[in-house]
Amino acid sequence: MHLVESETVMATTSRTKKKPASSGQAATELRSYYKRMSLVRAFELRANEMYARAKIGGYCHLNLGEEATVVGLTAALDDRDYLFTTYRDHGYAIMRGMEPSAVMAELFGKSTGVVGGWGGSMHMFDMGKRMLGGYGIVGGQIPPATGAALAINYRSKAGPKAEAVMCLLGDGTTNIGAFHESLNLAGLWNLPIVYVIVNNRLGMGTPVEGASAEPDLYKRGSAYRIEGTRVDGDDPIAVRDAARAALKKAREERRPALLELMSYRLKGHSVVDPARYRSKEDTDEAKGNDPVPAFRAKLIADGVLTEKDADAIDDDADKVVTEAVAFADESPDPSVDELFDKVYASPVANASTRLPAEPAVVLS
Amino acid sequence: MHLVESETVMATTSRTKKKPASSGQAATELRSYYKRMSLVRAFELRANEMYARAKIGGYCHLNLGEEATVVGLTAALDDRDYLFTTYRDHGYAIMRGMEPSAVMAELFGKSTGVVGGWGGSMHMFDMGKRMLGGYGIVGGQIPPATGAALAINYRSKAGPKAEAVMCLLGDGTTNIGAFHESLNLAGLWNLPIVYVIVNNRLGMGTPVEGASAEPDLYKRGSAYRIEGTRVDGDDPIAVRDAARAALKKAREERRPALLELMSYRLKGHSVVDPARYRSKEDTDEAKGNDPVPAFRAKLIADGVLTEKDADAIDDDADKVVTEAVAFADESPDPSVDELFDKVYASPVANASTRLPAEPAVVLS
Amino acid sequence: MTANEPKSRIITYRQALNETLRAELERDENVFLIGEEIGVFQGSYKITAGLLEDFGPKRVLDTPISEEGFVGAAIGSAMLGLRPVVEIMTLNFSLIAIDQIVNHAAKMHAMFGGQVKVPLVIRFPGGGGQQLAATHSQNLEVWYAHIPGLKVLAPSTPAEAKSMLKAAIRDDDPVIFLENLALYNVKGEVPDGEQVAEIGKAAVVKTGTDLTVVSYSRGMVTALQVAEEFEQEGVSIEVVDLRSLRPLDRDTICASVRKTSRAVIFEDDMLSYGIGAEISATIGEGAFDYLDAPVRRVAASEVPLPYSKPLETAAMPHAADLSRVIRETLDATRFKK
Amino acid sequence: MTANEPKSRIITYRQALNETLRAELERDENVFLIGEEIGVFQGSYKITAGLLEDFGPKRVLDTPISEEGFVGAAIGSAMLGLRPVVEIMTLNFSLIAIDQIVNHAAKMHAMFGGQVKVPLVIRFPGGGGQQLAATHSQNLEVWYAHIPGLKVLAPSTPAEAKSMLKAAIRDDDPVIFLENLALYNVKGEVPDGEQVAEIGKAAVVKTGTDLTVVSYSRGMVTALQVAEEFEQEGVSIEVVDLRSLRPLDRDTICASVRKTSRAVIFEDDMLSYGIGAEISATIGEGAFDYLDAPVRRVAASEVPLPYSKPLETAAMPHAADLSRVIRETLDATRFKK
Ligand SMILES: Cc1ncc(C[n+]2csc(CCOP(=O)(O)OP(=O)(O)O)c2C)c(N)n1
Ligand SMILES: Cc1ncc(C[n+]2csc(CCOP(=O)(O)OP(=O)(O)O)c2C)c(N)n1
Ligand SMILES: [Mg+2]
Ligand SMILES: [Mg+2]
């Protein structure tokens, strides 16, 4: 039953908005989307490899299988909008305009990384690009994202040029209290925010049906009078159009929205997870729905791309990523001298700058 | 709109279940309900007075205006069921079978109180009566109540004689994360629990519409596929019948339920709150819906009670409460010697029994 | 008033907070108040009384009962440059929001490479003694004091309430602002005009030569009273008000004990792993060669605080306890007047 | 095996936990495991590997991502007599459940007049050093150690992991069971059969005469290694493993320092208001007349832990830091071999 419903919703969203592939402008756009999807794919595969080669430490969660979602959502955002994501954030960071080399450098923990090596994989951040993080605590990004929308209301009027916030979360994250409290505030205060559930069907190993009493997650908006829509997360156009429509409502009517993007996780939860708990059918279904080859094939079938164009695009992506790795490799580690520089934004008397072997009391 | 809806629901619940006042057995029952409502009213008025006379300390929240809810809900519970309430718990404690004198003694902080003077107004508890507290942290009771239902599933089979849990919460409490997480668990795990929202229209001073993006609170069950029902909380029969129906489903089908009881708070949030923020209309509406005189009048009109019977019942209630106060007054304070007796259930080496002026280290 | 002769008034700690919030709301339109029942209800302890009326719902924002949600929302608004002043009704309820405070507000500036500031103030009262029972009577300030990225202030007088709240609101980092239920009605002299405290500094509020008492927040009222009593007897007690629990001003504490060579800590929280533990450890490291007696701590008994008045009283530290321990410390060193 | 000659095996800390959970599930049908991804996923650190398969979903219950909800549910089930063993993936996420742990589980027995028991174990690993960055690398055990009503255990070896987990599961109070990411693969000798540790007791795991090192959990591995190195040089170090952070065994700590007259604390958490603060304060009170030098603490730097390996390493305490501070402490007292 939940698949049927979802299909209807997907159908509408896609049909109503998709532009004819014929139009030249549209074709350029479609090509650019494939270019982006190809870059995210190449970047994530390389990140996976670099982790295996111990160039990257800590936790590392990839967007593999979610490229259509990443590209569709970021295509819908304007520069003035704010984006809050989860720890599965590499693709979003790059699509928001961070240099692949700076993102790779962050994974390598280098001083040239987007946050100078302080955050790593889970904490990509760029104030200028208005990507306000990468968050590793499940649900932790939702209240701050909601507060960013509150600040927009505080400072500016609604309208087509107004700012809006997009907040990503996973399917498993709809079960945490912060989701409930935040959506209630957004509904109550009419905040310009679009909550996007990237439903890749799994938490770590737990399927949606094993975690959510209402597995049709888009329906959960109703508890806050927030409209929910389910969209095919493997179709970048459907994703973009649904996100645009929701952002428009946020900007112009100051109404929050809830989008559920049906997608798949191609690999394990993180790079170290072999995902043995997944059935062959499940893995095959995910592979069968891999959005990158699918979109590539579609554009070729529609005459938007030739095989040769597509190969060229993939080669470019690979070049970019190779350069990123070289840059990250050559970049210096942050200096231990800066260890205490970022604890406080306002300098303060008696802040500790003690290294582990130093005494607690240094009398001046 | 939300009133209309509620009325329809109320209508059904009341109509479908109410027994003809004629039947003798029913009449006895109705009289006993009035007796109970009268006792709760008398107890709370006296508690209010005792607080003013500084016999009671701390916070003190009363059931004034919620007597029909208190009596209707407790009438629906079997002895084997477990009840978790909020800090607004005096009436429930008494209706669950705790001695009014022991409840008053608890308010006085005496050793003869239901928890020996350790908990006070917000923490009435009796393991034997299966009233598992009185909780002062908003929403704090919801996860443990849900866990009690989990324990029932763990140990026993469904059936008409099975145990069930009832968990009370206020309208304002539906906006806290613990509500969301708990209902999701109950829906997911098919737990035998009935969540009861006592909607007295106000948090402390905040009306439901100012706190909940979906002010029709019973609808919030849908986010967990839990059936929600709104009931007239001023009608003890409607409350009892709706609660019985929900408990039956919990026992026999292991399905959780959500009830919303529309009621009114006659006075301030707690005894020290003059409720200046309330409009005259609002206060008048609450007074106009006072369930105690209403039920009394109804029973007299239906020929179930005479004025004389009713006065006698009220006098008895007053006597009981007067005796309770006398008992509480005469009871001794707990002894300081027991200060450290209840920190741990299993005795443990090196547990601190230091009074404030004693040294931290007492070498044995 | 003229700059060279500043006027002052005797007002309560509550009034000092209320007036300071008002002044800061007037000074900076990015400052706004957010919390439960701070508007229509005037605040559960009336700290925000009258402010909704004068500044409207945009500047004085009532929230649902959603501590994690609205504290997190305040954090997000601060990331965009607003300066939220959050009221959590009591410290006890801050536990529901603590993931947002400790895992988010405290970490963001460093974890995001210094790119974002979180100019946020979180105000709440701690403390027992009101018969609110175990869950509503806690002093867990030591938890926050342990966290880098946070600044933790604990004013003990109306004047400090004013100058430290101004400092907190104007600071670009998340500041935990610890009040105390028992202080709200305490009166004190508050100078007019702009006093902005320096965060990270303790203060010697009474000088003495024989023994140092270290305290903070509500404990200071008792500490000063007891110090006065000993003064009558000819014992000279120095009293240090920590004021800033984080950063901790170790120099001021150790300098005092190096002078007096005796120290007693008076704290409302529980002894084990409490605020006093760090103060005692600090003195042990920073004044080791000067100490004539063990540093003693007068702190609450380690039980969930009971509702019963006599039990609650027995479990909490009072003036008599402090006096007794000061005396024992003096005796331990054969102190002669 | 025969009682008089107990056998033992060398296994990892992880395996000791896994086997003990299995044994307790077999021993008592009221014992059940509850937490995120402990079943199908086998546990995010594989502590519960194989248990769902053998005991089924009733005894090994996978939960949604709802720390507050499922920890609270475990509490409620314990009130009815079950004995839940909760896994929270890491200490960092326990902040979301802390209201249920501290305001509910820890308070209920006393606040409800001794009528209800809460036989609950909450297991989680703390610790940094895995490049998990600021929010995923914390040691906040001192928060729990501060709370009456809780018992807080921190085993440092596979044998302790077994005996202390058995004790925790069989205890009728809420027990916080602190593990450490860096300990899971550490091997050690674990005797077969029933060892049940006594809660509330520290242990002198290496005797010595010249200086006492106090540590716990992961820190013990380093402490013992450094003590051995000094032994080679002819310096005799006594090592105390706290084991139980609450209750705290002050007698054992002070007795050791009264003998050695020198103490250094080695802790993974941050110094200010950390575990070591209480240990230092305790020694200052309980061994004052015996101390030859200030009690020093080797602890993490006070920064949100950075992701960068060199920065993370610089901020965390290591063997070299402990060695240096032991040397400084010996030199401060002109120690001669
Ligand atoms: C509060 C909290 N609990 C648990 C975790 C561990 N954890 C990290 S990701 C994850 C699964 C999240 O699943 P989902 O929301 O579907 O996002 P996805 O990883 O599938 O993108 C869990 C349990 C965490 N980081 N934070
Ligand atoms: C977590 C938490 N936040 C705030 C409070 C303070 N508080 C006590 S009762 C209350 C209002 C609750 O309103 P509602 O849920 O409608 O219950 P009612 O009092 O109306 O019965 C508040 C905010 C609390 N006790 N716990
Ligand atoms: Mg997922
Ligand atoms: Mg209410």
Side-chain angles (χ1 to χ4, degrees), chain A residues 170-172 198 200-203:
Chain A
D171 45 279
V198 179
N200 59 13
R201 275 96 165 163
L202 289 166

Side-chain angles (χ1 to χ4, degrees), chain C:
Chain C
M1 99 186 213
T2 66
N4 46 20
E5 41 147 307
K7 296 211 181 47
S8 74
R9 291 163 310 136
I10 307 285
I11 58 174
T12 63
Y13 192 98
R14 171 184 287 106
Q15 202 176 340
L17 291 171
N18 179 270
E19 290 180 5
T20 306
L21 289 172
R22 173 180 295 278
E24 292 299 298
L25 281 165
E26 273 159 3
R27 185 186 58 81
D28 180 351
E29 67 178 8
N30 284 322
V31 172
F32 74 104
L33 314 186
I34 176 171
E36 290 163 12
E37 307 288 353
I38 62 172
V40 174
F41 196 83
Q42 313 288 317
S44 40
Y45 295 102
K46 308 300 175 222
I47 305 304
T48 53
L51 299 177
L52 171 64
E53 208 172 47
D54 298 351
F55 294 91
K58 174 183 163 186
R59 309 291 304 284
V60 181
L61 182 54
D62 271 324
T63 69
I65 308 169
S66 310
E67 280 80 2
E68 186 178 15
F70 70 74
V71 169
I75 292 168
S77 73
M79 293 171 81
L80 264 65
L82 297 186
R83 308 188 79 84
V85 181
V86 178
E87 173 174 298
I88 296 180
M89 282 191 182
T90 76
L91 175 150
N92 309 284
F93 313 145
S94 72
L95 272 59
I96 293 174
I98 208 161
D99 168 70
Q100 283 296 319
I101 300 170
V102 170
N103 284 338
H104 294 85
K107 305 282 192 282
M108 285 177 171
H109 183 66
M111 189 173 71
F112 292 143
Q115 286 188 63
V116 66
K117 296 175 178 179
V118 183
L120 166 76
V121 178
I122 301 178
R123 297 176 37 243
F124 48 67
Q130 323 285 316
Q131 280 194 271
L132 300 179
T135 65
H136 282 52
S137 305
Q138 299 173 94
N139 285 87
L140 299 176
E141 51 271 17
V142 70
W143 285 13
Y144 294 106
H146 182 56
I147 305 300
L150 294 180
K151 294 169 178 174
V152 182
L153 302 180
S156 66
T157 67
E160 282 184 357
K162 174 184 177 178
S163 62
M164 292 170 82
L165 183 54
K166 277 185 187 287
I169 293 173
R170 299 175 188 196
D171 193 88
D172 278 340
D173 295 302
V175 178
I176 301 296
F177 193 85
L178 179 71
E179 304 167 5
N180 189 293
L181 294 179
L183 282 175
Y184 286 143
N185 293 326
V186 169
K187 290 192 164 168
E189 184 169 4
V190 177
D192 298 341
E194 285 279 277
Q195 288 79 29
V196 182
E198 181 178 4
I199 298 176
K201 295 282 198 171
V204 174
V205 295
K206 178 185 172 308
T207 57
T209 55
D210 303 332
L211 182 147
T212 299
V213 171
V214 180
S215 192
Y216 65 96
S217 190
R218 189 207 67 98
M220 280 299 299
V221 177
T222 308
L224 286 168
Q225 168 205 327
V226 170
E228 276 317 320
E229 288 165 16
F230 274 92
E231 206 70 32
Q232 306 315 317
E233 298 182 18
V235 179
S236 168
I237 306 276
E238 180 148 304
V239 182
V240 174
D241 183 353
L242 292 175
R243 303 171 81 257
S244 175
L245 301 179
R246 182 173 201 93
L248 178 62
D249 183 355
R250 293 185 162 93
D251 294 3
T252 298
I253 298 162
C254 294
S256 174
V257 179
R258 286 169 164 226
K259 184 177 73 178
T260 63
S261 71
R262 299 177 189 90
V264 173
I265 298 149
F266 187 72
E267 56 188 316
D268 266 349
D269 67 351
M270 288 167 189
L271 184 138
S272 296
Y273 308 98
I275 292 289
E278 180 57 54
I279 306 308
S280 173
T282 291
I283 293 169
E285 287 173 76
F288 183 78
D289 297 326
Y290 301 78
L291 268 180
D292 288 349
V295 178
R296 291 278 303 275
R297 292 174 278 170
V298 180
S301 289
E302 309 202 11
V303 298
L305 217 61
Y307 166 75
S308 148
K309 194 67 198 168
L311 291 191
E312 184 187 45
T313 303
M316 290 181 65
H318 299 282
D321 303 308
L322 177 56
S323 302
R324 177 179 141 192
V325 175
I326 289 173
R327 243 176 257 294
E328 289 174 2
T329 304
L330 294 169
D331 296 348
T333 56
R334 301 192 189 57
F335 171 78
K336 298 252 175 308
K337 291 168 199 161

